Amino acid sequence: MTAHVIADATEALAVATALADGFRAGAAGRDAERRLPRAELDRLSASGLLGVTVPAEHGGADVDALTLAEIFRLLGSADGSLAQIPQSHFAYVNVIRRQGSEEQRKFFFAELLAGARFGNAQSEAGTQHVQDIRTRLDRSADGSYVLRGVKHYSTGALFADWIPVLARTEDDNLHVAYVPRDAPGLTVVDDWDGMGQRTTASGTVRLDGVAVPADRVLPHHLTFRGPQLHGAVAQLLHTAIDVGIAGGALAEAAEFVRTRSRPWFESGVGTAAEDPLLIQRFGELAVRVRASEALLREAARAVDAARADLTDASAAEASVAVAAAKVTAADAAVEGAGALFEVSGTRSALNSLNLHRHWRDARTHTLHDPARWKIQHIGRYVLNGTRPPRHGLL
């Protein structure tokens, strides 16, 4: 496997813009036919974008959070499914940055610069709550490990070269095991049937006695014993996807109204684009999108500031900024994608056009983490100075 190595943030954004333009053209068809984006992901790997957060001392561009968020916004504006697939990739790159040994970093950063893709095997179904992880990582006599468990919502696993698996060791501490996609005993099942983000293949991963060398296991629990940005970065990328979906839906709605909608007969105008009530509604929607974009940038800057001087205070400020952006972006994506039909008229509801993919993607993606809890943590921080918890979901 080989990939282009991106030099800096400027090049990264240019590459992301070009890829997004290409991905946008086939997004409706891929969703309608549930045609998995294997070729598109190969292009993503070859482009070098998956290695842009590799540290400079290992040959990467080490782009900042502001650049990474913009990359995901661009991809999300083109295809809300495709943008979701590499989200966990970057989250688990951060685990290596934070907890990897020098040898682990050297190995995996070389893999990333060559275009390797990380999937994920994180969430589990049927447990008490999202952090009730029951997959086991048991140590063998020779110091290696064995993985046993079942994972769900494993976005990216089907397309991955490496699958990071979240599991507990005998002391119940959380670790991440980086497992090759073709490891014996590991099965990825394409059984995702969500109404939205249909081409993420976020299915099931079964781990039946998977052998893992000791040097492929990282102590993720240590991430949360001090100030950390793991959750803030992961949530920032979720936010960027929502912002991208909102912007993509607004752009497609505007194009539809300009080229295909008819004016309401009472408006007295010749085209739908001249209808003052539609103009008003587009203005309202544009304000929502621009606000979400601005809060995304503000949150990314807060993450970058915290990374430069990581303390409990700076980490808390970053988490709260990201939470505020995420709440706003989720609302903008769901409202904007739904309003597409309101402004475009009856024809926009035709299944053959598949404009409803924007709403289905937005509604599905915004279910990842409840906005009501983000608002709770924002309120506690503002009113009582209570810092957000270090559980990795803020």
Side-chain angles (χ1 to χ4, degrees), residues 1 15 126 143 150 154 175-176 199 204-205 218 242 276 282 289 367:
M1 182 188 304
V15 170
V150 179
S154 302
H175 289 67
V176 178
T199 60
T204 300
V205 170
L218 280 71
D242 289 340
F282 269 98
V289 171
L367 298 177

Side-chain angles (χ1 to χ4, degrees), residues 152-213:
H152 298 269
Y153 314 119
S154 302
T155 303
L158 189 68
F159 314 107
D161 299 292
W162 293 87
I163 301 178
V165 181
L166 194 61
R168 294 191 185 277
T169 49
E170 60 184 7
D171 56 9
D172 272 348
N173 283 324
L174 282 175
H175 289 67
V176 178
Y178 290 75
V179 183
R181 167 68 176 82
D182 59 357
L186 186 153
T187 306
V188 181
V189 184
D190 180 18
D191 57 0
W192 170 243
D193 66 347
M195 69 172 183
Q197 296 197 304
R198 297 182 63 203
T199 60
T200 60
S202 301
T204 300
V205 170
R206 300 187 184 279
L207 304 150
D208 185 14
V210 179
V212 185

Side-chain angles (χ1 to χ4, degrees), residues 79-131:
D79 186 336
S81 277
L82 204 155
Q84 179 60 34
I85 293 171
Q87 189 272 339
S88 58
H89 169 96
F90 286 97
Y92 284 104
V93 172
N94 280 346
V95 174
I96 296 170
R97 290 186 61 139
R98 177 95 175 188
Q99 299 303 337
S101 67
E102 184 56 34
E103 284 303 309
Q104 287 170 327
R105 291 174 186 168
K106 182 179 178 180
F107 174 80
F108 279 114
F109 290 155
E111 287 280 291
L112 292 166
L113 291 178
R117 295 194 289 265
F118 289 167
N120 93 85
Q122 178 171 290
S123 295
E124 299 178 11
T127 56
Q128 186 175 9
H129 51 70
V130 70
Q131 292 207 321

Side-chain angles (χ1 to χ4, degrees), residues 24 37 64 139 183 186-187 202 227 231 307 320 366:
R24 184 176 290 108
D64 57 14
R139 188 179 285 273
L186 186 153
T187 306
S202 301
R307 183 174 286 158
V320 168
T366 54

Side-chain angles (χ1 to χ4, degrees), residues 60-92:
D62 199 9
V63 302
D64 57 14
L66 184 63
T67 301
L68 190 60
E70 178 63 6
I71 289 169
F72 272 80
R73 188 196 68 80
L74 288 165
L75 295 177
S77 71
D79 186 336
S81 277
L82 204 155
Q84 179 60 34
I85 293 171
Q87 189 272 339
S88 58
H89 169 96
F90 286 97
Y92 284 104

Side-chain angles (χ1 to χ4, degrees), residues 217-351:
V217 177
L218 280 71
H220 192 32
H221 62 285
L222 298 181
T223 300
F224 306 104
R225 291 190 177 174
Q228 52 82 35
L229 296 171
H230 179 81
V233 172
Q235 291 294 309
L236 182 72
L237 302 187
H238 280 309
T239 302
I241 293 167
D242 289 340
V243 174
I245 292 172
L250 181 63
E252 191 148 7
E255 177 66 14
F256 193 94
V257 169
R258 283 193 296 265
T259 61
R260 306 186 72 167
S261 294
R262 297 182 297 179
W264 184 243
F265 71 95
E266 293 179 285
S267 67
V269 297
T271 67
E274 298 172 287
D275 185 330
L277 298 183
L278 286 180
I279 290 171
Q280 176 71 21
R281 187 63 175 131
F282 269 98
E284 293 168 351
L285 295 170
V287 168
R288 296 294 298 275
V289 171
R290 285 178 177 245
S292 69
E293 291 171 345
L295 284 175
L296 175 66
R297 291 190 293 269
E298 179 182 313
R301 292 188 183 104
V303 169
D304 284 328
R307 183 174 286 158
D309 182 20
L310 187 59
T311 64
D312 282 326
S314 66
E317 186 60 34
S319 289
V320 168
V322 172
K326 182 68 171 69
V327 170
T328 304
D331 285 345
V334 174
E335 180 188 357
L340 184 155
F341 305 100
E342 171 194 338
V343 297
S344 300
T346 306
R347 189 182 306 176
S348 64
L350 293 176
N351 234 3

